[in-house]
Tab-separated table of all heavy atoms in Angstrom:
chain	number	residue	atom	x	y	z
A	958	MET	N	96.597	93.143	123.469
A	958	MET	CA	95.720	93.270	124.548
A	958	MET	C	95.472	91.891	125.152
A	958	MET	O	95.224	90.979	124.455
A	958	MET	CB	94.393	93.845	123.965
A	958	MET	CG	93.377	94.159	124.929
A	958	MET	SD	91.985	94.990	124.153
A	958	MET	CE	90.831	94.778	125.360
A	959	SER	N	95.579	91.912	126.505
A	959	SER	CA	95.421	90.567	127.132
A	959	SER	C	94.985	90.756	128.558
A	959	SER	O	95.181	91.843	129.194
A	959	SER	CB	96.742	89.763	127.123
A	959	SER	OG	97.737	90.463	127.736
A	960	GLY	N	94.428	89.654	129.134
A	960	GLY	CA	93.940	89.715	130.499
A	960	GLY	C	93.072	88.540	130.808
A	960	GLY	O	92.713	87.863	129.988
A	961	GLU	N	92.683	88.544	132.129
A	961	GLU	CA	91.888	87.496	132.553
A	961	GLU	C	90.466	87.889	132.480
A	961	GLU	O	90.069	88.909	132.976
A	961	GLU	CB	92.202	87.021	134.045
A	961	GLU	CG	93.506	86.255	134.195
A	961	GLU	CD	93.718	85.776	135.610
A	961	GLU	OE1	93.242	86.390	136.587
A	961	GLU	OE2	94.385	84.688	135.730
A	962	LEU	N	89.668	86.877	132.050
A	962	LEU	CA	88.187	87.176	132.095
A	962	LEU	C	87.615	85.796	132.527
A	962	LEU	O	88.268	84.678	132.441
A	962	LEU	CB	87.644	87.270	130.607
A	962	LEU	CG	88.222	88.568	129.880
A	962	LEU	CD1	87.701	88.472	128.393
A	962	LEU	CD2	87.632	89.773	130.577
A	982	PHE	N	92.664	85.693	128.077
A	982	PHE	CA	92.382	86.151	126.655
A	982	PHE	C	93.493	87.001	126.158
A	982	PHE	O	94.025	87.869	126.879
A	982	PHE	CB	91.061	86.901	126.616
A	982	PHE	CG	89.838	86.014	126.563
A	982	PHE	CD1	89.500	85.310	127.795
A	982	PHE	CD2	89.069	85.821	125.496
A	982	PHE	CE1	88.313	84.509	127.794
A	982	PHE	CE2	87.910	85.057	125.436
A	982	PHE	CZ	87.513	84.369	126.632
A	984	ILE	N	94.186	89.213	122.583
A	984	ILE	CA	93.910	89.747	121.200
A	984	ILE	C	95.185	89.962	120.563
A	984	ILE	O	95.898	90.969	120.881
A	984	ILE	CB	93.029	90.969	121.238
A	984	ILE	CG1	91.709	90.666	121.948
A	984	ILE	CG2	92.803	91.538	119.806
A	984	ILE	CD1	90.761	91.921	121.993
A	986	PHE	N	97.064	91.010	117.449
A	986	PHE	CA	96.815	91.671	116.189
A	986	PHE	C	97.782	91.288	115.146
A	986	PHE	O	97.568	91.352	113.909
A	986	PHE	CB	96.965	93.174	116.362
A	986	PHE	CG	95.815	93.751	117.221
A	986	PHE	CD1	95.882	94.068	118.472
A	986	PHE	CD2	94.485	93.956	116.653
A	986	PHE	CE1	94.832	94.485	119.286
A	986	PHE	CE2	93.419	94.526	117.274
A	986	PHE	CZ	93.621	94.809	118.701
A	991	ILE	N	92.129	85.670	118.336
A	991	ILE	CA	91.930	85.840	119.808
A	991	ILE	C	92.331	84.445	120.315
A	991	ILE	O	91.866	83.322	119.943
A	991	ILE	CB	90.565	85.987	120.101
A	991	ILE	CG1	90.038	87.334	119.450
A	991	ILE	CG2	90.305	86.120	121.638
A	991	ILE	CD1	88.508	87.443	119.423
A	1007	PHE	N	89.902	86.543	113.818
A	1007	PHE	CA	89.057	87.761	113.920
A	1007	PHE	C	87.907	87.792	112.964
A	1007	PHE	O	86.895	88.220	113.330
A	1007	PHE	CB	89.975	89.019	113.449
A	1007	PHE	CG	91.021	89.424	114.378
A	1007	PHE	CD1	91.139	88.794	115.610
A	1007	PHE	CD2	91.861	90.560	114.180
A	1007	PHE	CE1	92.059	89.310	116.484
A	1007	PHE	CE2	92.750	91.008	115.084
A	1007	PHE	CZ	92.978	90.274	116.240
A	1010	VAL	N	84.537	86.640	114.414
A	1010	VAL	CA	83.913	87.516	115.460
A	1010	VAL	C	82.807	88.353	114.776
A	1010	VAL	O	82.976	89.072	113.849
A	1010	VAL	CB	84.890	88.522	116.219
A	1010	VAL	CG1	84.133	89.311	117.287
A	1010	VAL	CG2	85.967	87.627	116.924
A	1011	LEU	N	81.537	88.266	115.297
A	1011	LEU	CA	80.428	88.794	114.743
A	1011	LEU	C	79.925	90.029	115.450
A	1011	LEU	O	79.594	90.941	114.945
A	1011	LEU	CB	79.189	87.776	114.623
A	1011	LEU	CG	79.455	86.557	113.748
A	1011	LEU	CD1	78.357	85.596	113.862
A	1011	LEU	CD2	79.847	86.936	112.435
A	1012	ASP	N	79.902	89.851	116.927
A	1012	ASP	CA	79.366	90.963	117.658
A	1012	ASP	C	79.876	90.915	119.101
A	1012	ASP	O	80.260	89.916	119.542
A	1012	ASP	CB	77.807	90.948	117.613
A	1012	ASP	CG	77.124	92.201	118.024
A	1012	ASP	OD1	77.805	93.215	118.196
A	1012	ASP	OD2	75.875	92.218	118.142
A	1013	VAL	N	79.846	92.015	119.753
A	1013	VAL	CA	80.073	92.127	121.126
A	1013	VAL	C	79.219	93.086	121.767
A	1013	VAL	O	78.921	94.238	121.128
A	1013	VAL	CB	81.570	92.513	121.443
A	1013	VAL	CG1	81.967	93.820	120.791
A	1013	VAL	CG2	81.981	92.353	122.791
A	1014	TYR	N	78.568	92.847	122.904
A	1014	TYR	CA	77.674	93.734	123.502
A	1014	TYR	C	77.301	93.337	124.945
A	1014	TYR	O	77.591	92.283	125.366
A	1014	TYR	CB	76.304	93.678	122.708
A	1014	TYR	CG	75.656	92.313	122.608
A	1014	TYR	CD1	74.683	91.711	123.463
A	1014	TYR	CD2	75.994	91.355	121.490
A	1014	TYR	CE1	74.225	90.476	123.307
A	1014	TYR	CE2	75.560	90.114	121.349
A	1014	TYR	CZ	74.607	89.710	122.293
A	1014	TYR	OH	74.098	88.464	122.219
A	1015	ILE	N	76.891	94.367	125.590
A	1015	ILE	CA	76.347	94.233	127.051
A	1015	ILE	C	75.072	93.791	127.027
A	1015	ILE	O	74.182	94.170	126.187
A	1015	ILE	CB	76.425	95.661	127.765
A	1015	ILE	CG1	78.001	96.216	127.725
A	1015	ILE	CG2	75.898	95.572	129.051
A	1015	ILE	CD1	78.093	97.577	128.272
A	1016	PRO	N	74.701	92.775	127.904
A	1016	PRO	CA	73.310	92.339	128.054
A	1016	PRO	C	72.306	93.374	128.220
A	1016	PRO	O	72.681	94.402	128.927
A	1016	PRO	CB	73.334	91.289	129.164
A	1016	PRO	CG	74.803	91.103	129.518
A	1016	PRO	CD	75.545	92.250	128.888
A	1017	PRO	N	71.071	93.327	127.914
A	1017	PRO	CA	70.039	94.260	128.214
A	1017	PRO	C	69.983	94.416	129.791
A	1017	PRO	O	70.310	93.414	130.422
A	1017	PRO	CB	68.689	93.660	127.658
A	1017	PRO	CG	69.123	92.611	126.796
A	1017	PRO	CD	70.525	92.140	127.128
A	1021	GLU	N	71.129	91.755	132.482
A	1021	GLU	CA	72.427	92.064	133.233
A	1021	GLU	C	72.226	91.943	134.673
A	1021	GLU	O	73.094	91.378	135.419
A	1021	GLU	CB	72.957	93.387	132.793
A	1021	GLU	CG	74.311	93.629	133.391
A	1021	GLU	CD	74.975	95.048	133.041
A	1021	GLU	OE1	74.348	95.778	132.353
A	1021	GLU	OE2	76.051	95.287	133.411
A	1024	ILE	N	72.223	88.348	135.765
A	1024	ILE	CA	73.470	87.506	135.594
A	1024	ILE	C	74.661	88.231	136.224
A	1024	ILE	O	75.767	87.542	136.379
A	1024	ILE	CB	73.814	87.175	134.135
A	1024	ILE	CG1	73.956	88.344	133.288
A	1024	ILE	CG2	72.671	86.259	133.560
A	1024	ILE	CD1	74.320	88.129	131.867
A	1033	ASN	N	81.864	90.667	138.054
A	1033	ASN	CA	80.336	90.917	137.897
A	1033	ASN	C	80.020	91.942	136.803
A	1033	ASN	O	78.919	92.580	136.999
A	1033	ASN	CB	79.729	91.340	139.234
A	1033	ASN	CG	80.346	92.482	139.958
A	1033	ASN	OD1	81.227	93.086	139.353
A	1033	ASN	ND2	79.824	92.773	141.010
A	1034	PHE	N	80.897	92.092	135.768
A	1034	PHE	CA	80.548	92.991	134.687
A	1034	PHE	C	80.531	92.059	133.464
A	1034	PHE	O	81.475	91.924	132.731
A	1034	PHE	CB	81.645	94.090	134.609
A	1034	PHE	CG	81.597	94.955	135.808
A	1034	PHE	CD1	82.363	94.764	136.882
A	1034	PHE	CD2	80.742	96.069	135.735
A	1034	PHE	CE1	82.359	95.659	137.996
A	1034	PHE	CE2	80.591	96.896	136.877
A	1034	PHE	CZ	81.394	96.660	137.994
A	1035	PRO	N	79.258	91.662	133.165
A	1035	PRO	CA	79.090	90.693	131.972
A	1035	PRO	C	79.035	91.452	130.652
A	1035	PRO	O	78.574	92.558	130.453
A	1035	PRO	CB	77.791	90.040	132.273
A	1035	PRO	CG	76.997	91.040	133.019
A	1035	PRO	CD	78.008	91.854	133.823
A	1036	PHE	N	79.414	90.679	129.553
A	1036	PHE	CA	79.155	91.095	128.223
A	1036	PHE	C	79.239	89.833	127.311
A	1036	PHE	O	79.820	88.655	127.728
A	1036	PHE	CB	80.196	92.151	127.689
A	1036	PHE	CG	81.621	91.684	127.645
A	1036	PHE	CD1	82.148	91.215	126.398
A	1036	PHE	CD2	82.507	91.694	128.718
A	1036	PHE	CE1	83.470	90.848	126.216
A	1036	PHE	CE2	83.794	91.319	128.581
A	1036	PHE	CZ	84.264	90.836	127.385
A	1037	TYR	N	78.715	89.897	126.223
A	1037	TYR	CA	78.632	88.836	125.208
A	1037	TYR	C	79.649	89.024	124.047
A	1037	TYR	O	79.762	90.072	123.633
A	1037	TYR	CB	77.231	88.594	124.627
A	1037	TYR	CG	76.218	88.099	125.509
A	1037	TYR	CD1	75.288	88.889	126.098
A	1037	TYR	CD2	76.137	86.702	125.766
A	1037	TYR	CE1	74.354	88.411	127.019
A	1037	TYR	CE2	75.277	86.247	126.739
A	1037	TYR	CZ	74.307	87.040	127.375
A	1037	TYR	OH	73.357	86.630	128.184
A	1038	LEU	N	80.321	87.886	123.697
A	1038	LEU	CA	81.135	87.902	122.509
A	1038	LEU	C	80.508	86.800	121.578
A	1038	LEU	O	80.592	85.740	121.957
A	1038	LEU	CB	82.606	87.607	122.881
A	1038	LEU	CG	83.603	87.502	121.684
A	1038	LEU	CD1	83.731	88.789	120.856
A	1038	LEU	CD2	84.984	86.922	122.149
A	1039	GLU	N	79.973	87.298	120.470
A	1039	GLU	CA	79.261	86.369	119.513
A	1039	GLU	C	80.233	86.041	118.398
A	1039	GLU	O	80.767	86.903	117.759
A	1039	GLU	CB	78.030	87.019	119.042
A	1039	GLU	CG	77.168	86.060	118.312
A	1039	GLU	CD	75.780	86.573	117.988
A	1039	GLU	OE1	75.329	87.513	118.770
A	1039	GLU	OE2	75.190	86.166	117.088
A	1045	TYR	N	79.863	83.577	123.694
A	1045	TYR	CA	80.525	83.500	124.920
A	1045	TYR	C	79.867	84.631	125.803
A	1045	TYR	O	79.573	85.710	125.490
A	1045	TYR	CB	82.021	83.963	124.798
A	1045	TYR	CG	82.874	83.077	123.971
A	1045	TYR	CD1	82.999	83.183	122.508
A	1045	TYR	CD2	83.538	81.979	124.572
A	1045	TYR	CE1	83.833	82.361	121.884
A	1045	TYR	CE2	84.383	81.137	123.798
A	1045	TYR	CZ	84.466	81.268	122.566
A	1045	TYR	OH	85.244	80.429	121.778
A	1046	LEU	N	79.590	84.141	127.086
A	1046	LEU	CA	79.220	85.124	128.119
A	1046	LEU	C	80.381	85.239	128.970
A	1046	LEU	O	80.975	84.386	129.587
A	1046	LEU	CB	78.095	84.508	129.014
A	1046	LEU	CG	77.645	85.302	130.183
A	1046	LEU	CD1	77.260	86.860	129.796
A	1046	LEU	CD2	76.428	84.689	130.958
A	1047	LEU	N	80.971	86.535	128.883
A	1047	LEU	CA	82.251	86.858	129.624
A	1047	LEU	C	82.062	87.762	130.712
A	1047	LEU	O	81.118	88.610	130.681
A	1047	LEU	CB	83.247	87.291	128.649
A	1047	LEU	CG	83.582	86.453	127.411
A	1047	LEU	CD1	84.376	87.238	126.314
A	1047	LEU	CD2	84.240	85.248	127.867
A	1048	PHE	N	82.985	87.777	131.767
A	1048	PHE	CA	82.869	88.688	132.894
A	1048	PHE	C	84.181	89.281	133.117
A	1048	PHE	O	85.258	88.626	133.066
A	1048	PHE	CB	82.342	87.853	134.077
A	1048	PHE	CG	80.963	87.311	134.043
A	1048	PHE	CD1	80.736	86.166	133.364
A	1048	PHE	CD2	79.896	87.968	134.679
A	1048	PHE	CE1	79.551	85.523	133.325
A	1048	PHE	CE2	78.577	87.471	134.626
A	1048	PHE	CZ	78.374	86.223	134.020
A	1049	THR	N	84.138	90.606	133.452
A	1049	THR	CA	85.312	91.303	133.789
A	1049	THR	C	85.278	91.657	135.314
A	1049	THR	O	84.134	91.701	135.894
A	1049	THR	CB	85.550	92.616	133.035
A	1049	THR	OG1	84.472	93.481	133.246
A	1049	THR	CG2	85.772	92.279	131.419
A	1050	ALA	N	86.302	91.972	135.942
A	1050	ALA	CA	86.424	92.420	137.260
A	1050	ALA	C	85.980	93.795	137.558
A	1050	ALA	O	85.401	94.221	138.593
A	1050	ALA	CB	87.791	92.226	137.889
A	1051	THR	N	86.055	94.642	136.480
A	1051	THR	CA	85.686	96.080	136.738
A	1051	THR	C	84.946	96.638	135.456
A	1051	THR	O	84.908	96.057	134.429
A	1051	THR	CB	87.005	97.052	136.857
A	1051	THR	OG1	87.683	97.141	135.579
A	1051	THR	CG2	87.954	96.582	138.031
A	1052	PHE	N	84.341	97.744	135.720
A	1052	PHE	CA	83.511	98.365	134.653
A	1052	PHE	C	84.397	98.768	133.591
A	1052	PHE	O	84.225	98.623	132.385
A	1052	PHE	CB	82.733	99.560	135.168
A	1052	PHE	CG	81.900	100.317	134.303
A	1052	PHE	CD1	80.743	99.858	133.743
A	1052	PHE	CD2	82.484	101.515	133.714
A	1052	PHE	CE1	80.074	100.644	132.782
A	1052	PHE	CE2	81.749	102.167	132.694
A	1052	PHE	CZ	80.586	101.806	132.347
A	1053	ASP	N	85.654	99.370	133.847
A	1053	ASP	CA	86.465	99.900	132.960
A	1053	ASP	C	87.096	98.797	132.124
A	1053	ASP	O	87.323	98.998	130.912
A	1053	ASP	CB	87.680	100.726	133.649
A	1053	ASP	CG	87.144	102.104	134.192
A	1053	ASP	OD1	86.015	102.550	133.720
A	1053	ASP	OD2	87.852	102.654	135.035
A	1054	GLU	N	87.380	97.661	132.659
A	1054	GLU	CA	87.930	96.544	131.893
A	1054	GLU	C	86.819	96.141	130.894
A	1054	GLU	O	87.229	95.704	129.780
A	1054	GLU	CB	88.272	95.337	132.881
A	1054	GLU	CG	89.525	95.465	133.667
A	1054	GLU	CD	89.787	94.303	134.464
A	1054	GLU	OE1	89.163	93.242	134.257
A	1054	GLU	OE2	90.539	94.417	135.549
A	1055	ARG	N	85.597	96.098	131.282
A	1055	ARG	CA	84.608	95.651	130.444
A	1055	ARG	C	84.527	96.548	129.165
A	1055	ARG	O	84.465	96.140	128.013
A	1055	ARG	CB	83.243	95.558	131.050
A	1055	ARG	CG	82.053	95.159	130.020
A	1055	ARG	CD	80.761	94.955	130.676
A	1055	ARG	NE	80.162	96.132	131.307
A	1055	ARG	CZ	78.959	96.155	131.873
A	1055	ARG	NH1	78.340	94.973	131.913
A	1055	ARG	NH2	78.488	97.208	132.439
A	1056	ILE	N	84.626	97.910	129.487
A	1056	ILE	CA	84.572	98.942	128.404
A	1056	ILE	C	85.858	98.663	127.532
A	1056	ILE	O	85.685	98.731	126.191
A	1056	ILE	CB	84.524	100.320	128.875
A	1056	ILE	CG1	83.323	100.518	129.733
A	1056	ILE	CG2	84.795	101.318	127.833
A	1056	ILE	CD1	82.001	100.351	129.009
A	1057	MET	N	86.907	98.419	128.022
A	1057	MET	CA	88.184	98.178	127.308
A	1057	MET	C	88.041	97.020	126.406
A	1057	MET	O	88.368	96.945	125.256
A	1057	MET	CB	89.419	98.057	128.289
A	1057	MET	CG	90.741	97.775	127.486
A	1057	MET	SD	92.069	97.336	128.615
A	1057	MET	CE	91.540	95.583	129.063
A	1058	TRP	N	87.627	95.854	126.967
A	1058	TRP	CA	87.438	94.647	126.192
A	1058	TRP	C	86.483	94.806	125.038
A	1058	TRP	O	86.616	94.423	123.909
A	1058	TRP	CB	87.075	93.386	127.051
A	1058	TRP	CG	88.315	92.902	127.712
A	1058	TRP	CD1	88.654	93.002	129.116
A	1058	TRP	CD2	89.331	92.070	127.333
A	1058	TRP	NE1	89.839	92.422	129.293
A	1058	TRP	CE2	90.274	91.737	128.270
A	1058	TRP	CE3	89.530	91.516	125.913
A	1058	TRP	CZ2	91.448	90.994	128.001
A	1058	TRP	CZ3	90.642	90.735	125.727
A	1058	TRP	CH2	91.667	90.448	126.714
A	1059	ILE	N	85.307	95.514	125.409
A	1059	ILE	CA	84.313	95.632	124.223
A	1059	ILE	C	84.859	96.471	123.178
A	1059	ILE	O	84.712	96.262	121.994
A	1059	ILE	CB	83.088	96.290	124.930
A	1059	ILE	CG1	82.295	95.160	125.878
A	1059	ILE	CG2	82.144	96.826	123.817
A	1059	ILE	CD1	81.062	95.607	126.565
A	1060	ALA	N	85.599	97.616	123.589
A	1060	ALA	CA	86.167	98.387	122.546
A	1060	ALA	C	87.186	97.657	121.652
A	1060	ALA	O	87.319	97.723	120.456
A	1060	ALA	CB	86.957	99.632	123.231
A	1061	GLY	N	88.011	96.725	122.366
A	1061	GLY	CA	89.007	95.917	121.710
A	1061	GLY	C	88.275	94.998	120.700
A	1061	GLY	O	88.657	94.924	119.467
A	1062	PHE	N	87.220	94.341	121.126
A	1062	PHE	CA	86.440	93.361	120.195
A	1062	PHE	C	85.707	94.145	119.125
A	1062	PHE	O	85.755	93.710	118.026
A	1062	PHE	CB	85.505	92.593	121.066
A	1062	PHE	CG	86.276	91.502	121.793
A	1062	PHE	CD1	85.904	91.405	123.249
A	1062	PHE	CD2	87.130	90.566	121.264
A	1062	PHE	CE1	86.494	90.521	123.954
A	1062	PHE	CE2	87.692	89.718	122.051
A	1062	PHE	CZ	87.406	89.612	123.412
A	1063	LYS	N	85.184	95.292	119.455
A	1063	LYS	CA	84.460	96.183	118.401
A	1063	LYS	C	85.568	96.598	117.384
A	1063	LYS	O	85.268	96.636	116.120
A	1063	LYS	CB	83.840	97.415	118.999
A	1063	LYS	CG	82.536	97.000	119.630
A	1063	LYS	CD	81.743	98.173	120.003
A	1063	LYS	CE	80.456	97.821	120.771
A	1063	LYS	NZ	79.388	97.542	119.959
A	1064	TYR	N	86.734	97.026	117.694
A	1064	TYR	CA	87.826	97.381	116.898
A	1064	TYR	C	88.132	96.124	115.811
A	1064	TYR	O	88.256	96.306	114.721
A	1064	TYR	CB	89.073	97.762	117.615
A	1064	TYR	CG	90.268	98.065	116.602
A	1064	TYR	CD1	90.226	99.317	116.137
A	1064	TYR	CD2	91.254	97.206	116.329
A	1064	TYR	CE1	91.206	99.734	115.170
A	1064	TYR	CE2	92.215	97.577	115.494
A	1064	TYR	CZ	92.223	98.898	114.887
A	1064	TYR	OH	93.212	99.134	114.029
A	1065	ILE	N	88.130	94.939	116.439
A	1065	ILE	CA	88.353	93.763	115.596
A	1065	ILE	C	87.301	93.696	114.579
A	1065	ILE	O	87.613	93.374	113.408
A	1065	ILE	CB	88.488	92.502	116.494
A	1065	ILE	CG1	89.574	92.494	117.334
A	1065	ILE	CG2	88.260	91.206	115.594
A	1065	ILE	CD1	89.637	91.353	118.462
A	1066	ILE	N	86.146	93.758	114.976
A	1066	ILE	CA	84.900	93.654	114.060
A	1066	ILE	C	85.027	94.737	112.965
A	1066	ILE	O	84.945	94.409	111.784
A	1066	ILE	CB	83.544	93.743	114.853
A	1066	ILE	CG1	83.465	92.519	115.756
A	1066	ILE	CG2	82.478	93.812	113.846
A	1066	ILE	CD1	82.367	92.737	116.847
A	1067	VAL	N	85.220	95.968	113.296
A	1067	VAL	CA	85.152	97.062	112.392
A	1067	VAL	C	86.459	96.839	111.408
A	1067	VAL	O	86.248	96.923	110.202
A	1067	VAL	CB	85.203	98.393	113.130
A	1067	VAL	CG1	85.466	99.469	112.081
A	1067	VAL	CG2	83.955	98.655	113.824
A	1068	SER	N	87.599	96.676	112.006
A	1068	SER	CA	88.862	96.615	111.129
A	1068	SER	C	88.755	95.362	110.181
A	1068	SER	O	89.104	95.369	109.014
A	1068	SER	CB	90.069	96.577	111.909
A	1068	SER	OG	90.115	95.531	112.775
Side-chain angles (χ1 to χ4, degrees):
M958 184 172 163
S959 61
E961 283 186 335
L962 300 172
F982 278 71
I984 296 177
F986 292 99
I991 300 164
F1007 285 1
V1010 179
L1011 302 175
D1012 200 5
V1013 61
Y1014 55 93
I1015 296 172
E1021 183 180 3
I1024 61 174
N1033 58 2
F1034 294 93
F1036 67 97
Y1037 288 102
L1038 175 65
E1039 194 173 331
Y1045 295 88
L1046 175 55
L1047 302 171
F1048 293 83
T1049 61
T1051 68
F1052 176 81
D1053 289 342
E1054 283 180 22
R1055 176 170 70 175
I1056 298 302
M1057 179 191 71
W1058 280 102
I1059 289 174
F1062 289 126
K1063 283 189 184 274
Y1064 179 80
I1065 288 170
I1066 294 165
V1067 170
S1068 62

